[in-house]
Amino acid sequence: MSALSPDTAAFAPAFDPLIPHPLHVRDPYHVYAQLREHAPMYRSPHGVWVASRHSEVSFMLKDAHFGRGYFYFENMSKRLGPGIVEQPVYASARNMMVMKDGDDHLRVRNAVARSFSHKRIEAMRPFMRSVMNGLVD
């Protein structure tokens, strides 16, 4: 699977999920449609892989080469320069469940799973609704 097809040269360099363009923020659905059509498996200028169609997402989820740890931490200094992994945002991200792979991910996921059960989420609904209403009003 190729990261970019020849017809994506004009589109692909314009999209970077780490530094989104204001137009992308305003209308992300247009960008998503463009990615699906022109670059369904795309590597951004910062090295972040973006999969925009179901088949590519499934491929990435099943292939260990796309693990979070490898791309976000072990090779971070190669992509963004030495010392980047010591920056607070990256240092704290190492402990996030979504940034862990394999057994580490499963261990953290099992520890928090009960907090996100359907019953617990429904119990939080009135509180969350009041918070959201307060922010909107």
Side-chain angles (χ1 to χ4, degrees):
M1 182 176 305
S2 164
L4 296 174
S5 62
D7 65 336
T8 63
F11 169 74
F15 180 69
D16 188 347
L18 295 181
I19 306 172
H21 188 279
L23 292 175
H24 299 168
V25 173
R26 203 169 317 138
D27 181 13
Y29 303 105
H30 174 73
V31 175
Y32 301 154
Q34 293 293 312
L35 283 167
R36 283 191 303 274
E37 182 178 345
H38 300 291
M41 189 73 165
Y42 167 67
R43 192 158 191 186
S44 79
H46 284 97
V48 174
W49 282 101
V50 178
S52 59
R53 296 188 306 203
H54 183 269
S55 61
E56 285 76 19
V57 170
S58 293
F59 172 80
M60 288 178 76
L61 290 173
K62 294 173 185 170
D63 189 323
H65 290 100
F66 291 99
R68 289 162 291 279
Y70 177 77
F71 283 108
Y72 287 102
F73 299 115
E74 286 78 1
N75 280 330
M76 186 68 70
S77 59
K78 289 181 188 172
R79 293 188 288 117
L80 300 176
I84 193 70
V85 294
E86 302 306 320
Q87 295 296 316
V89 69
Y90 294 111
S92 79
R94 285 183 180 273
N95 297 315
M96 294 178 180
M97 177 179 68
V98 298
M99 300 305 261
K100 296 189 175 291
D101 289 320
D103 291 341
D104 286 338
H105 176 85
L106 190 59
R107 178 182 49 77
V108 176
R109 181 178 167 191
N110 287 339
V112 301
R114 282 183 234 150
S115 298
F116 294 96
S117 70
H118 179 72
K119 183 177 179 179
R120 292 290 299 253
I121 297 299
E122 285 303 315
M124 289 189 282
R125 186 178 298 274
F127 171 73
M128 295 307 297
R129 188 175 307 262
S130 71
V131 169
M132 295 301 118
N133 287 338
L135 290 171
V136 171
D137 293 341

